[in-house]
Amino acid sequence: MKEEDINIEDGEQIENPVDNEEAAASAETQDTAEAETQAESEEEKDPLDVALEEIASWKDKYQRLAAEFDNYRKRTLKERAELILNGSEKAVKAVLPVVDDMERAMKNGASTDDPQVLREGMALIYHKMMKTLESLGVTKIDTDGADFDTDLHDAEALVPGMGDDKKGKVIDCLTTGYKLNDKVIRHAKVAVGQ
């Protein structure tokens, strides 16, 4: 070895700086080559493998969505069944006090001979029942002097000879009609002038 290649100071041996630069350049080249090889291997992934990974991802998303929808459907069916089964609970609870009043009236009706007392009791029960129905949204269809309307009335009879002013008008109500929240639940059966 030449003195230029090796500098000796205090008994240590130090390599020439030129050799260090060559070694560093060689290491960088090797690191760059490895990085390029790795990038190429990622880029050169088989398109089939990429497609299969994407298919697996979409399949997983689809299965999760299908399961969520199935749970939602089952929950809504259960809620609907409960509504159908227990939906009339409010109406029944509202009508029960009227039933109690009718039972008391029948019980007390046997002990009295005065028909006026029975009529008054029945009138009170009727008014209580109508108030209860109104609180539930049930209203009577008005037929007094109303024009015949097929959406509200059923013509049970045509009455001839009533005059031109009564033509097409409700003459008599045979059965009262009712609406529930503006939906006809029973048409009024009426006689109509002809």
Side-chain angles (χ1 to χ4, degrees):
M1 283 192 152
K2 298 182 184 175
E3 192 176 43
E4 298 171 356
D5 293 338
I6 302 174
N7 292 330
I8 302 175
E9 291 181 17
D10 299 328
E12 291 183 13
Q13 191 175 2
I14 299 177
E15 292 185 18
N16 192 348
V18 175
D19 291 338
N20 284 340
E21 288 176 11
E22 288 177 10
S26 172
E28 278 183 33
T29 307
Q30 188 177 11
D31 289 342
T32 306
E34 287 178 11
E36 287 177 2
T37 305
Q38 191 177 15
E40 286 175 7
S41 68
E42 288 177 3
E43 289 176 4
E44 292 179 5
K45 271 189 175 179
D46 189 17
L48 181 62
D49 291 338
V50 172
L52 289 174
E53 287 176 8
E54 190 172 335
I55 288 171
S57 171
W58 282 107
K59 184 178 180 182
D60 181 57
K61 287 179 185 178
Y62 168 75
Q63 287 175 338
R64 290 177 188 274
L65 184 63
E68 285 178 24
F69 180 75
D70 192 44
N71 291 339
Y72 167 76
R73 186 181 54 79
K74 287 177 184 177
R75 186 175 59 247
T76 54
L77 285 174
K78 182 181 175 186
E79 289 171 358
R80 185 178 300 152
E82 287 176 8
L83 271 175
I84 291 169
L85 192 60
N86 300 323
S88 60
E89 180 180 355
K90 180 181 175 185
V92 170
K93 282 184 177 180
V95 172
L96 286 177
V98 178
V99 172
D100 295 338
D101 288 346
M102 293 194 73
E103 288 175 348
R104 282 191 287 273
M106 288 188 307
K107 186 176 180 181
N108 291 333
S111 64
T112 185
D113 292 330
D114 188 10
Q116 185 60 28
V117 173
L118 293 175
R119 282 191 205 106
E120 288 174 6
M122 290 299 292
L124 289 172
I125 292 171
Y126 172 77
H127 291 297
K128 186 173 185 176
M129 182 65 176
M130 292 310 296
K131 284 184 181 181
T132 302
L133 289 175
E134 286 175 10
S135 72
L136 295 172
V138 177
T139 56
K140 274 186 173 183
I141 295 175
D142 187 29
T143 56
D144 293 333
D147 290 332
F148 178 72
D149 183 359
T150 57
D151 292 333
L152 303 174
H153 309 115
D154 277 340
E156 293 292 314
L158 295 175
V159 181
M162 295 298 293
D164 288 340
D165 61 332
K166 298 285 186 177
K167 188 174 185 178
K169 300 262 186 199
V170 174
I171 304 298
D172 188 23
C173 181
L174 307 172
T175 305
T176 306
Y178 293 95
K179 291 193 235 178
L180 175 63
N181 300 324
D182 294 329
K183 178 186 175 199
V184 176
I185 56 174
R186 184 172 87 180
H187 290 83
K189 297 182 192 280
V190 296
V192 182
Q194 192 176 25

